[in-house]
Each structure stands twice: as structure tokens, then as C-alpha cells.
Amino acid sequence: MDDQNKNLILATALSFLVILVWFLLFPPEEPVTDPNAPTQITQSGETADVALTPPAAVTEAAPGAAPQTAATPTENAPRVQIDTPALEGSISLLGGRIDDLSLRNYNETLEPDSPIVRLLSPVDAPGAYYALYGWAPAGTLSFDDVPGANTLWTVESGDTLTVDTPVVLRWENGNGLIFRRTLAVDDDFMFTVTQSVENTTETDKRMQPYGIIARHGEPDTINFFVLHEGVVAMADGSLIESDYDDMLDYDFVEREGARAEVEQVEQNGWIGFTDKNWMTTLIPTPGQPFTSVAKYVGNADIYQTETRLPTQTVPGGQTVTVETRLFAGAKEWEAIRGYERELGIEGFIDSIDWGWFYFLTKPIFFVLHELNLLIGNMGVAIIVLTLLIKALLLPLAWKSYVSMARMKELQPEMEKLKEKAGDDRQKLQVAMMELYKKEKVNPAAGCLPILLQIPIFFSLYKVIFVTIELRHAPFFGPFQDLSAPDPTSIMNLFGLLPFASPEPGSILALIFIGILPLLLGISMWLQQKLNPAPTDPTQAMIFAWLPWVFMFMLGTFASGLIVYWIANNVITFAQQYFIMRRHGYKPDLFGNIVASFKKKKPSEDK
């Protein structure tokens, strides 16, 4: 067996092993959720930072004790509508919470009657998910003196929250403090929340502004290791990510009354929850110090993130105003990058999960995004991206194939060395190394292009799997979602027979693969046939089965990734064939294909 075949088998086997380990070590799990869990909130402390929890009815408690809480229905509370080009929903005047939000431009499925994606939902709905703002009392104030989760606000101005018409909410505590909350929203997914306190008394008042995002019960997640879902935060340049399972293992913090992680942010930061395609994030004004909190309230099964700004002193007869932002929407690269640049939100682009190979995934996505804008078809953009990647690797590939050709020229010399060395492996190894050195041949050079493709393959897989731009991105014909597996199936002859394909994820779907995985297997098989089969029968059998093993194993991968790999195989085939011909070796493609179907006689294997 020549070194070219050995290198190809080694690289292919390594790729197979790495991908197989993904599924063995990180199998998808069914999430356990309890959307109907009761609500419980704890609030404590009077100065500096105040421990907070999400909306519920706060009742009187003995001095020094944490208030007791009970769930409060919101379905009958008055609401203010949200109506923008990207969003629709409403704001509950009970607590002034943003708890009803859907994304106009995104449907749950490709079906014509599919509902649009709902991001936020009220506290009394299954899987409650909402944002809440308020003030925590400090100094001589009590919880009755500040607006809380169950404060009923009135509308001072604005009937509907639109891009052009903000809404102003008002509440008076009856003791000389007038609270206002101004809500504004842009064309995409960014809310601006401006909280003000007017002190009509003659004495100074102290209180602390805060923001909360709460999720009741663990949400449905992909639960696949290549994707982060859960808390995502930035704290003075450090990216923080915690899965929902990680939150269950937080240390119990007595002051918070829950398992929590608390970070003091000095200048720039943000915190929230991220899903695969959607995100909700609290964003204090850049340059503003604040306390960033992620916590899990176990007895209520609530996952929560908070931002707590420094305690404010409101002098008598004056007004204090605090402005923060809330991102609630789709993780669109252009929108998030725009917010980072225009609003100065440090590291906001890293809310997209670029992974360990971020130095590859970021430029790969940028090029793919620009190609898609230029071409108008994501599938064609992937093929063009593959051409560009292969062009960049061409010098290395050329050197590799030249090295392979030189190795073929050395085959007669190597056979002589084997005869001289006999069973002395060490002597053979020394002699071969001297031969390589003399002829200036690197036997490992043949592996480099294939091994370099592994991180590129992973990076492109990450881009296709994670970025929302690939979601429901069409190619042609039946391939209308390049982030999903091939929808066709050999079981119904790729749509020619009048019955549906197997359900994705089922055993039948794994067996009756689609046309793209089939083309992948054929392209890998043809690439092998540029060289004769190994002389060793065991190695020949392994070599022969690898394309078909990959074909079935990758059959459930995103179809965009399969398009990339097919294009990569075709280009590699053309490159290798041309370079071999350039160096005087004419691959017997047809002869190698015919030979693979012939059954060897026993005497030929001896």
C-alpha cells in the first residue's frame, strides 16, 4: 500500500473518528421543563445592591424579613400595543413588563400557515419569559414607596409603541414621588427604557434602578454541544456563557436567596439569555458601572438575569433619569454588528456563538454573507465559498500532490529497501528516512491539506448550524432550508412516488437517505478511484467502505454542509487529477472503477 493511500485513509479515519465522538459523547437529551411552576420572588437589602427576583405579588412581611410572594395573573391587566416592522405584541401595565413579543419576519416552520415566532410571553402563560424594570428602595424608603412587579401603571402619552411614537408610563406613590418610564423601539429589535423619578418632597430619597429578564422553567433547547444556549454576558471585555444546567450548579448566595453568579462590571457589559436564533439582553449605557447577576431560583424554577445600576440619590424638588436598553429579537448579524458599532455596545457581536474556531468562523461567515448578498442564493454562495477556500489551499495542495508523485517514483527503491531489511523494522525505518532525506521528500505532506480541512469543516458546520442567516435559506427545488437535513428520501424515489419521506430523526430517515448524502458518497468514492486500491485486502476493504459509511453518517447533517462537502470533493478530484497529469502520471479512473467490482481470486491475495 503506497503512502498516498495511507495518508488518505489516516485523514479520513481521523475525520470519521472526530465526528463520531461528537455523537457518542454529546447525544441530544430531552429537556425537562416545568412551565407551570409557581412564581416566587425575593427582595432584600436597603443600600448598594438589592437582591431581586421576577414579577409576583409582594405582600407585607415582618421588618428585616424577605417579602413573601405569590403568582399574579396578568391576562386581565390593561396593555399597550407594540407595532413595528419587525415586532408585534404588547406591554402589560401591571408592572410595566414587556411580556408579549413576536417576530413578524420569522415563522416557526416553512409551512404556508405557520405562525410567526413568539419570543416573550406573560407570567401566567406556559414557558413565561419577560423583561421587567423597576426601582429597589434604599435609605428610608420601603417597597411600598417604589414601583414593583405588581404596580399598575397608567399611560401618560402614546397609545401604541411604534418606531415613531414612544410610550410614557406614570405612577405616583402617594408620598411625593412621581415615577415615569419611557419606552421606545427602533426598526429592528432594540428597546430604549428611560426611567425617571421626580421628587416633589423637600428631603432626599435614595433608590436603585434595575432590570430583570426571567424565564419560568427550562426552555426547549437543541441541547447539542456545538451550540451554546443559556446565559450570555459581557463583563469588561470578558465573554461569559452558562448553560441552563450550569446555573443549577451555581453556588448558593445568601444575599440573593438563590444559586447565583454576581459580577461587578466597571465600564462596559450586558447580560441576557440566548437561544439558537433568538436573544433577550439587558444593556446598560456603555461606560456605566453596574452589577451583573445570573441566578436560578430553585423553589420557583426560574432562570433569571439582572442588571443593577448604582443607587441614585434624588434631591428634593429635582428629577433623576436613568437610561438602559433591551435587545429582544433575532440574532441577525447585521443588526447586532450595527448596534455594537453605532451604540458602542462592546463585544455584542460575540453574542453569536462563534465557538473555539472564532478566528475561522467569523471570516467564513462574513464571506458567505457577502456572497449571498451578491448572488442571492445561499446554496450557490456555499459552492463559491468552497471554490475560494480551495483556491487558498491550492499552494499547499499542489505541494502535497507533488510529494505524492515523488513518493510514487520512489516505490521501486522502497521495495528494494524492504527486501534488504527483511524483518528488521528499525533498519528499514532508518533506511527509508535516509532515502526521504536524500530525495527531499516529506511523506507527511500528503496529509496536510486533508487535515487542514478538518477545522475549516467544523467552522463551516458551526456557521451553518448556528447563524440565523442559514435558517430557512433556500437552494433550489426541495432544498428550501439549508440549515436542515436533506428533505428528500430514496424511499419515495426522491419525491417521484406519492407518499411522504420519513420523519427527520427517525430510523427510517437514517436508512433511506436523501439525494445530497448519496451524491456525497459517490463523490468520495470517485475521488478514491484516482488511485489503485491497496494491495492489502483488509486495508482495501476499509478503504472501500469509508465513502458509504460517511454517506449514512452525514445523512442527517444540515444540507448546506453536505453541499459544501460535495463541492469540496468535486474540486479536490479535479485538482488531484490535473496535478497528477501535470507530473506525468495518468490516473486510470475507469480501470480502477472496474477493478473495484471484480472479485479477486484466492491466489491473487497471496
Side-chain angles (χ1 to χ4, degrees):
M1 179 181 182
D2 59 31
D3 287 88
Q4 179 181 351
N5 284 336
K6 287 182 180 178
N7 289 336
L8 188 55
I9 288 179
L10 174 62
T12 308
L14 284 174
S15 302
F16 174 79
L17 180 62
V18 171
I19 297 171
L20 184 61
V21 166
W22 286 8
F23 291 98
L24 292 177
L25 295 183
F26 306 96
E29 299 176 0
E30 289 293 328
V32 179
T33 60
D34 184 10
N36 298 314
T39 310
Q40 183 167 351
I41 299 176
T42 59
Q43 293 177 306
S44 62
E46 295 184 347
T47 61
D49 292 329
V50 180
L52 306 166
T53 57
V58 181
T59 60
E60 296 292 339
Q68 302 300 311
T69 62
T72 302
T74 61
E75 57 183 3
N76 296 322
R79 289 184 170 272
V80 175
Q81 296 302 307
I82 301 172
D83 187 4
T84 78
L87 302 170
E88 67 176 54
S90 61
I91 301 164
S92 174
L93 294 186
L94 185 64
R97 50 191 121 188
I98 303 173
D99 62 355
D100 174 24
L101 198 65
S102 297
L103 311 181
R104 288 187 184 274
N105 300 323
Y106 292 93
N107 294 83
E108 293 181 1
T109 69
L110 288 170
E111 297 299 324
D113 58 347
S114 172
I116 60 176
V117 171
R118 184 170 189 178
L119 180 62
L120 302 181
S121 54
V123 66
D124 48 359
Y129 185 17
Y130 46 83
L132 172 74
Y133 289 85
W135 298 84
T140 59
L141 295 180
S142 69
F143 286 110
D144 292 333
D145 294 321
V146 294
N150 300 303
T151 299
L152 188 60
W153 294 74
T154 59
V155 177
E156 186 172 72
S157 66
D159 296 327
T160 300
L161 177 58
T162 70
V163 173
D164 300 319
T165 58
V167 168
V168 180
L169 308 182
R170 175 188 172 108
W171 180 73
E172 296 186 34
N173 72 348
N175 294 314
L177 295 180
I178 302 173
F179 295 85
R180 288 182 176 87
R181 184 176 302 164
T182 302
L183 300 169
V185 65
D186 66 5
D187 289 328
D188 292 315
F189 312 111
M190 188 67 76
F191 292 84
T192 300
V193 182
T194 305
Q195 299 189 92
S196 67
V197 183
E198 180 184 350
N199 184 2
T200 63
T201 70
E202 297 180 354
T203 59
D204 294 352
K205 304 296 181 182
R206 300 179 68 241
M207 64 199 76
Q208 183 182 27
Y210 65 83
I212 290 175
I213 296 174
R215 304 192 82 158
H216 289 218
E218 182 177 345
D220 292 334
T221 60
I222 305 297
N223 205 15
F224 189 42
F225 87 103
V226 77
L227 172 70
H228 169 67
E229 295 172 286
V231 174
V232 61
M234 183 66 68
D236 293 323
S238 297
L239 182 66
I240 301 170
E241 295 178 330
S242 297
D243 296 337
Y244 292 103
D245 290 343
D246 296 334
M247 298 181 73
L248 303 181
D249 297 327
Y250 284 167
D251 293 334
F252 186 86
V253 180
E254 192 70 31
R255 180 178 179 80
E256 302 292 334
R259 297 184 177 276
E261 278 195 354
V262 181
E263 293 279 343
Q264 299 299 326
V265 180
E266 298 299 328
Q267 287 190 327
N268 294 290
W270 40 267
I271 186 171
F273 291 107
T274 179
D275 300 327
K276 179 181 179 181
N277 296 309
W278 331 113
M279 182 172 66
T280 307
T281 314
L282 301 165
I283 310 170
T285 301
Q288 169 71 63
F290 67 96
T291 301
S292 174
V293 182
K295 67 167 64 171
Y296 173 67
V297 184
N299 57 355
D301 194 24
I302 294 174
Y303 300 83
Q304 187 169 311
T305 60
E306 303 171 7
T307 55
R308 304 173 190 163
L309 275 61
T311 299
Q312 305 289 314
T313 299
V314 187
Q318 296 188 27
T319 299
V320 168
T321 300
V322 175
E323 181 180 281
T324 59
R325 289 186 170 88
L326 170 72
F327 177 92
K331 293 163 64 175
E332 295 177 0
W333 177 78
E334 280 194 350
I336 290 176
R337 185 182 64 162
Y339 292 137
E340 179 177 281
R341 294 179 175 181
E342 296 168 14
L343 302 180
I345 305 173
E346 183 181 359
F348 202 40
I349 197 68
D350 291 326
S351 61
I352 300 173
D353 184 16
W354 302 109
W356 293 344
F357 293 111
Y358 62 90
F359 52 88
L360 289 176
T361 51
K362 285 185 177 181
I364 284 175
F365 173 78
F366 175 78
V367 175
L368 183 61
H369 181 268
E370 294 302 311
L371 287 172
N372 184 46
L373 291 179
L374 180 65
I375 299 169
N377 185 291
M378 186 61 77
V380 177
I382 290 174
I383 294 173
V384 175
L385 174 65
T386 309
L387 281 167
L388 294 177
I389 291 173
K390 296 299 290 185
L392 289 174
L393 293 176
L394 181 58
L396 189 58
W398 188 281
K399 185 177 180 180
S400 170
Y401 294 139
V402 168
S403 178
M404 289 181 180
R406 293 293 308 280
M407 291 290 291
K408 286 182 176 293
E409 294 173 3
L410 294 179
Q411 284 297 322
E413 293 292 331
M414 294 170 64
E415 291 298 328
K416 291 178 182 179
L417 292 176
K418 290 178 182 178
E419 292 177 3
K420 290 180 180 180
D423 295 332
D424 191 341
R425 289 179 175 270
Q426 186 174 357
K427 181 179 179 181
L428 175 62
Q429 188 69 20
V430 172
M432 291 180 68
M433 292 303 295
E434 290 178 354
L435 179 64
Y436 294 152
K437 186 176 181 180
K438 176 184 175 182
E439 300 294 337
K440 297 181 180 180
V441 174
N442 182 4
C447 271
L448 288 178
I450 303 173
L451 293 178
L452 279 177
Q453 287 182 41
I454 295 177
I456 294 174
F457 169 80
F458 286 163
S459 299
L460 187 61
Y461 177 67
K462 181 84 171 180
V463 166
I464 291 174
F465 189 81
V466 169
T467 55
I468 195 172
E469 285 74 9
L470 271 293
R471 182 181 186 266
H472 295 176
F475 186 16
F476 72 93
F479 309 108
Q480 295 299 307
D481 185 1
L482 287 171
S483 68
D486 186 339
T488 65
S489 173
I490 197 173
M491 190 171 77
N492 64 359
L493 294 182
F494 312 115
L496 295 178
L497 299 180
F499 52 86
S501 301
E503 281 294 322
S506 65
I507 298 297
L508 288 178
L510 293 174
I511 298 173
F512 295 101
I513 57 175
I515 191 170
L516 290 180
L518 187 61
L519 291 175
L520 170 64
I522 293 172
S523 66
M524 292 183 68
W525 179 73
L526 286 175
Q527 190 177 343
Q528 283 185 354
K529 299 311 170 185
L530 287 174
N531 299 287
T535 55
D536 181 89
T538 302
Q539 292 172 339
M541 181 183 67
I542 295 173
F543 199 67
W545 276 102
L546 278 178
W548 316 120
V549 171
F550 267 84
M551 180 180 71
F552 284 100
M553 187 183 69
L554 301 180
T556 57
F557 274 49
S559 53
L561 189 67
I562 307 300
V563 169
Y564 159 76
W565 207 332
I566 293 171
N568 180 75
N569 287 346
V570 172
I571 298 169
T572 301
F573 178 93
Q575 282 183 345
Q576 190 172 351
Y577 186 88
F578 174 77
I579 295 173
M580 285 180 168
R581 290 295 302 268
R582 184 72 179 270
H583 285 81
Y585 177 75
K586 182 179 180 180
D588 186 10
L589 181 62
F590 182 75
N592 293 335
I593 291 175
V594 172
S596 66
F597 289 101
K598 290 182 179 179
K599 186 175 182 181
K600 287 187 176 182
K601 297 179 181 179
S603 60
E604 294 177 344
D605 294 333
K606 294 179 181 179

